Amino acid sequence: MTSSDQELSAANLYVCEYDGGKTIAPGGDINLWNEGLETPLTVRRDFGQIEHSWIVLEAGVRKVRTEHVTDDGKLVRLPVDGQMGQPSIVHDVDSTVSIPTELFPEGHLQTAVRTSISEGGELATLAEDLDEISAEINRNAESAFRSRYEEWIGEQVPYPKGTNQQYEIPLDVEWKRDVIKRSTELTDAQATEIARMGFPSTMRVTVNVEYPEGIE
Protein backbone atom coordinates (compact mmCIF):
# COMPACT_ATOMS: atom_id res chain seq x y z
CA MET A 1 0.00 0.00 0.00
CA THR A 2 1.66 3.21 -1.18
CA SER A 3 -1.17 5.51 -2.17
CA SER A 4 -1.37 8.97 -0.65
CA ASP A 5 -5.02 9.57 -1.55
CA GLN A 6 -6.67 6.36 -0.38
CA GLU A 7 -9.33 6.39 2.30
CA LEU A 8 -7.72 5.83 5.69
CA SER A 9 -9.41 4.25 8.66
CA ALA A 10 -9.34 6.47 11.75
CA ALA A 11 -9.00 3.30 13.82
CA ASN A 12 -5.87 2.03 12.06
CA LEU A 13 -2.19 2.85 12.56
CA TYR A 14 -0.08 3.76 9.52
CA VAL A 15 3.53 4.36 8.56
CA CYS A 16 3.73 7.49 6.41
CA GLU A 17 6.40 9.38 4.53
CA TYR A 18 6.68 13.14 4.05
CA ASP A 19 9.52 15.24 2.67
CA GLY A 20 12.03 12.44 3.11
CA GLY A 21 11.01 11.61 6.68
CA LYS A 22 8.77 8.95 8.12
CA THR A 23 6.15 9.03 10.83
CA ILE A 24 3.69 6.61 12.42
CA ALA A 25 0.21 7.87 13.25
CA PRO A 26 -3.45 6.86 13.48
CA GLY A 27 -5.45 7.35 10.29
CA GLY A 28 -7.62 10.05 11.86
CA ASP A 29 -4.56 12.19 12.62
CA ILE A 30 -3.18 11.68 9.12
CA ASN A 31 -6.44 12.83 7.56
CA LEU A 32 -6.36 15.99 9.70
CA TRP A 33 -2.74 16.73 8.79
CA ASN A 34 -3.40 16.23 5.09
CA GLU A 35 -6.17 18.81 5.15
CA GLY A 36 -3.53 21.47 5.84
CA LEU A 37 -0.67 20.13 3.70
CA GLU A 38 -0.10 21.11 0.09
CA THR A 39 1.59 17.74 -0.44
CA PRO A 40 -0.09 15.03 1.62
CA LEU A 41 1.65 12.33 3.59
CA THR A 42 2.21 9.16 1.60
CA VAL A 43 1.04 5.99 3.33
CA ARG A 44 3.64 3.25 3.12
CA ARG A 45 2.25 0.59 5.45
CA ASP A 46 -0.88 -0.26 7.39
CA PHE A 47 -0.08 -1.57 10.87
CA GLY A 48 -3.66 -2.70 11.42
CA GLN A 49 -6.46 -1.67 13.73
CA ILE A 50 -5.68 -0.09 17.10
CA GLU A 51 -7.03 -2.32 19.86
CA HIS A 52 -5.66 -0.41 22.87
CA SER A 53 -4.17 3.05 23.22
CA TRP A 54 -2.89 5.11 26.12
CA ILE A 55 -0.68 8.05 27.08
CA VAL A 56 2.32 7.34 29.29
CA LEU A 57 2.82 9.97 31.99
CA GLU A 58 5.91 10.64 34.08
CA ALA A 59 5.20 11.57 37.72
CA GLY A 60 1.54 11.60 36.78
CA VAL A 61 1.88 14.82 34.79
CA ARG A 62 4.44 14.98 31.97
CA LYS A 63 3.46 13.19 28.77
CA VAL A 64 6.32 10.92 27.72
CA ARG A 65 4.85 8.94 24.83
CA THR A 66 1.77 7.35 23.40
CA GLU A 67 1.48 3.59 23.03
CA HIS A 68 -0.79 1.61 20.74
CA VAL A 69 -1.46 -2.11 20.63
CA THR A 70 -2.80 -3.30 17.28
CA ASP A 71 -5.09 -6.21 16.63
CA ASP A 72 -2.28 -8.23 15.05
CA GLY A 73 -0.04 -8.01 18.12
CA LYS A 74 2.19 -4.98 17.62
CA LEU A 75 3.07 -2.57 20.43
CA VAL A 76 3.98 0.78 18.86
CA ARG A 77 5.55 3.42 21.11
CA LEU A 78 5.56 6.98 19.83
CA PRO A 79 7.32 9.94 21.51
CA VAL A 80 4.99 12.87 22.14
CA ASP A 81 5.14 15.91 19.89
CA GLY A 82 8.18 18.09 20.43
CA GLN A 83 10.24 15.48 22.28
CA MET A 84 13.34 13.72 21.07
CA GLY A 85 13.20 10.02 20.41
CA GLN A 86 12.35 7.44 17.80
CA PRO A 87 9.27 5.25 17.56
CA SER A 88 9.80 1.68 18.69
CA ILE A 89 7.85 -1.37 17.60
CA VAL A 90 7.57 -4.67 19.47
CA HIS A 91 6.08 -7.51 17.45
CA ASP A 92 4.00 -10.46 18.59
CA VAL A 93 2.89 -9.03 21.93
CA ASP A 94 -0.02 -10.54 23.82
CA SER A 95 -2.40 -8.13 25.54
CA THR A 96 -5.07 -8.98 28.11
CA VAL A 97 -7.27 -6.88 30.37
CA SER A 98 -7.61 -7.13 34.16
CA ILE A 99 -11.15 -6.51 35.36
CA PRO A 100 -11.95 -5.44 38.97
CA THR A 101 -13.58 -8.06 41.17
CA GLU A 102 -15.06 -5.92 43.96
CA LEU A 103 -17.77 -3.29 43.60
CA PHE A 104 -18.61 -2.44 47.21
CA PRO A 105 -16.07 -3.32 49.93
CA GLU A 106 -17.62 -3.70 53.37
CA GLY A 107 -15.96 -0.43 54.44
CA HIS A 108 -17.84 1.48 51.72
CA LEU A 109 -21.13 0.00 52.88
CA GLN A 110 -20.33 0.93 56.49
CA THR A 111 -19.84 4.55 55.39
CA ALA A 112 -23.09 4.41 53.43
CA VAL A 113 -25.00 3.08 56.46
CA ARG A 114 -23.52 5.67 58.86
CA THR A 115 -24.43 8.46 56.46
CA SER A 116 -27.91 7.04 55.98
CA ILE A 117 -28.52 6.79 59.73
CA SER A 118 -27.45 10.40 60.30
CA GLU A 119 -29.67 11.60 57.45
CA GLY A 120 -32.70 9.42 58.23
CA GLY A 121 -32.24 7.24 55.19
CA GLU A 122 -33.22 3.70 54.26
CA LEU A 123 -30.12 1.76 55.35
CA ALA A 124 -30.33 1.78 59.17
CA THR A 125 -31.56 -1.83 59.34
CA LEU A 126 -28.55 -3.15 57.42
CA ALA A 127 -25.84 -2.44 59.99
CA GLU A 128 -25.66 -6.05 61.23
CA ASP A 129 -25.52 -7.66 57.79
CA LEU A 130 -22.93 -5.62 55.91
CA ASP A 131 -20.40 -8.41 55.49
CA GLU A 132 -23.04 -10.68 53.96
CA ILE A 133 -24.43 -7.92 51.72
CA SER A 134 -20.95 -6.99 50.54
CA ALA A 135 -20.20 -10.63 49.71
CA GLU A 136 -23.48 -10.97 47.81
CA ILE A 137 -22.81 -7.88 45.71
CA ASN A 138 -19.20 -8.77 44.98
CA ARG A 139 -19.92 -12.39 44.14
CA ASN A 140 -21.05 -11.38 40.65
CA ALA A 141 -19.16 -8.10 40.42
CA GLU A 142 -16.49 -9.27 37.99
CA SER A 143 -19.09 -10.46 35.49
CA ALA A 144 -20.95 -7.15 35.78
CA PHE A 145 -17.70 -5.20 35.39
CA ARG A 146 -16.75 -7.19 32.31
CA SER A 147 -20.10 -6.47 30.70
CA ARG A 148 -19.68 -2.77 31.48
CA TYR A 149 -16.16 -2.82 30.02
CA GLU A 150 -17.35 -4.47 26.81
CA GLU A 151 -20.19 -1.95 26.55
CA TRP A 152 -17.73 0.94 27.04
CA ILE A 153 -15.28 -0.47 24.50
CA GLY A 154 -18.09 -0.59 21.94
CA GLU A 155 -18.71 3.13 22.50
CA GLN A 156 -15.09 4.20 21.92
CA VAL A 157 -14.76 5.49 18.38
CA PRO A 158 -12.36 5.15 16.69
CA TYR A 159 -10.47 3.33 19.49
CA PRO A 160 -10.22 3.32 23.31
CA LYS A 161 -7.81 5.73 24.98
CA GLY A 162 -6.40 5.55 28.50
CA THR A 163 -3.46 6.53 30.68
CA ASN A 164 -0.51 4.37 31.74
CA GLN A 165 -2.05 1.15 30.43
CA GLN A 166 -5.31 1.79 32.26
CA TYR A 167 -8.83 2.87 31.42
CA GLU A 168 -11.08 4.68 33.89
CA ILE A 169 -14.62 3.70 32.92
CA PRO A 170 -17.59 5.64 34.37
CA LEU A 171 -20.16 3.84 36.52
CA ASP A 172 -23.49 5.61 36.73
CA VAL A 173 -26.05 5.32 39.52
CA GLU A 174 -28.51 3.28 37.48
CA TRP A 175 -25.85 0.69 36.58
CA LYS A 176 -24.75 0.28 40.21
CA ARG A 177 -28.34 0.03 41.44
CA ASP A 178 -29.09 -2.70 38.90
CA VAL A 179 -26.03 -4.70 39.97
CA ILE A 180 -27.09 -4.41 43.62
CA LYS A 181 -30.68 -5.41 42.86
CA ARG A 182 -29.61 -8.47 40.86
CA SER A 183 -27.25 -9.62 43.61
CA THR A 184 -29.25 -8.99 46.80
CA GLU A 185 -32.74 -8.85 48.25
CA LEU A 186 -32.44 -5.19 49.18
CA THR A 187 -35.41 -2.95 48.46
CA ASP A 188 -35.38 -0.52 45.53
CA ALA A 189 -34.95 2.36 47.97
CA GLN A 190 -31.99 0.72 49.73
CA ALA A 191 -30.26 -0.24 46.48
CA THR A 192 -30.76 3.25 45.07
CA GLU A 193 -29.40 4.92 48.21
CA ILE A 194 -26.23 2.80 48.15
CA ALA A 195 -25.79 3.47 44.44
CA ARG A 196 -26.11 7.21 45.01
CA MET A 197 -23.37 7.38 47.65
CA GLY A 198 -20.89 8.42 44.96
CA PHE A 199 -18.42 5.57 45.19
CA PRO A 200 -17.16 3.99 43.15
CA SER A 201 -17.70 6.45 40.32
CA THR A 202 -15.39 4.60 37.91
CA MET A 203 -13.92 1.17 37.34
CA ARG A 204 -10.22 0.80 36.54
CA VAL A 205 -9.34 -1.69 33.83
CA THR A 206 -5.66 -2.47 33.30
CA VAL A 207 -4.18 -3.60 29.99
CA ASN A 208 -1.43 -6.16 30.58
CA VAL A 209 1.04 -6.44 27.70
CA GLU A 210 3.31 -9.48 27.61
CA TYR A 211 6.40 -9.29 25.41
CA PRO A 212 7.90 -12.27 23.60
CA GLU A 213 10.77 -13.89 25.47
CA GLY A 214 14.00 -11.91 25.11
CA ILE A 215 12.27 -8.54 24.51
CA GLU A 216 12.65 -5.84 27.16
Side-chain angles (χ1 to χ4, degrees), residues 173-185:
V173 169
E174 183 176 351
W175 182 88
K176 288 184 285 187
R177 184 200 63 207
D178 289 347
V179 172
I180 296 168
K181 284 291 296 175
R182 289 197 304 268
S183 304
T184 71
E185 296 182 358

Side-chain angles (χ1 to χ4, degrees), residues 182-198:
R182 289 197 304 268
S183 304
T184 71
E185 296 182 358
L186 298 181
T187 66
D188 286 341
Q190 289 170 332
T192 299
E193 187 169 334
I194 293 173
R196 286 178 175 170
M197 291 303 296

Side-chain angles (χ1 to χ4, degrees), residues 94-140:
D94 184 24
S95 62
T96 58
V97 297
S98 292
I99 303 291
T101 59
E102 189 174 62
L103 177 57
F104 285 108
E106 184 179 345
H108 281 189
L109 294 182
Q110 289 172 346
T111 300
V113 167
R114 286 196 299 270
T115 302
S116 181
I117 291 173
S118 66
E119 296 178 355
E122 298 284 338
L123 307 183
T125 60
L126 305 181
E128 301 299 322
D129 302 312
L130 294 185
D131 56 344
E132 181 178 344
I133 294 170
S134 178
E136 288 175 348
I137 295 173
N138 292 325
R139 190 170 295 124
N140 299 314

Side-chain angles (χ1 to χ4, degrees), residues 9-121:
S9 169
N12 282 34
L13 200 62
Y14 299 92
V15 179
C16 300
E17 189 173 293
Y18 182 78
D19 195 24
K22 289 184 179 179
T23 187
I24 301 175
D29 291 349
I30 295 169
N31 287 329
L32 289 174
W33 291 341
N34 283 348
E35 288 179 5
L37 294 174
E38 184 174 340
T39 303
L41 284 77
T42 301
V43 175
R44 294 303 187 191
R45 184 177 177 186
D46 183 352
F47 269 171
Q49 185 172 336
I50 298 171
E51 191 169 71
H52 298 292
S53 179
W54 56 83
I55 295 172
V56 177
L57 300 179
E58 183 178 87
V61 178
R62 187 175 75 92
K63 293 182 180 179
V64 178
R65 63 182 179 273
T66 58
E67 297 187 348
H68 305 288
V69 175
T70 63
D71 59 355
D72 61 352
K74 295 183 184 70
L75 171 64
V76 182
R77 296 169 164 174
L78 305 174
V80 298
D81 294 341
Q83 291 198 20
M84 300 296 291
Q86 293 294 325
S88 65
I89 304 166
V90 181
H91 295 267
D92 300 322
V93 303
D94 184 24
S95 62
T96 58
V97 297
S98 292
I99 303 291
T101 59
E102 189 174 62
L103 177 57
F104 285 108
E106 184 179 345
H108 281 189
L109 294 182
Q110 289 172 346
T111 300
V113 167
R114 286 196 299 270
T115 302
S116 181
I117 291 173
S118 66
E119 296 178 355

